[in-house]
Amino acid sequence: MQMIDITELRSHLPDYIARAAAGEEIMVTRRGEAVVRLMPVKDRRAAAKEQLARLSAGALVGDVVSPVEADWSAAQ
């Protein structure tokens, strides 16, 4: 991740926006302190699919022992 001062960002804003849109993350600083991070917008559907894939990798499918028709109570 590249760090740039806000004055540099103001001088070359279109260039930095293009770089962020291409996938680069850019940290903007003011007086040496990080204040803003420029990063590309993620496709929410793709991000959700990636998270589901990560979660399903650790899940067991078909691990329910009781038949669906069995009566049960949460109090038991």
Side-chain angles (χ1 to χ4, degrees), residues 12-64:
H12 302 97
L13 184 60
D15 297 331
Y16 286 111
I17 289 177
R19 288 169 61 177
E24 186 176 345
E25 290 191 19
I26 302 166
M27 184 67 66
V28 181
T29 62
R30 181 186 304 141
R31 296 185 192 106
E33 185 177 329
V35 290
V36 175
R37 180 173 56 173
L38 293 178
M39 53 192 279
V41 176
K42 286 189 176 184
D43 178 14
R44 293 179 66 162
R45 293 186 121 210
K49 286 181 180 181
E50 289 173 14
Q51 183 178 10
L52 182 60
R54 282 192 308 270
L55 291 172
S56 65
L60 297 175
V61 178
D63 62 344
V64 177

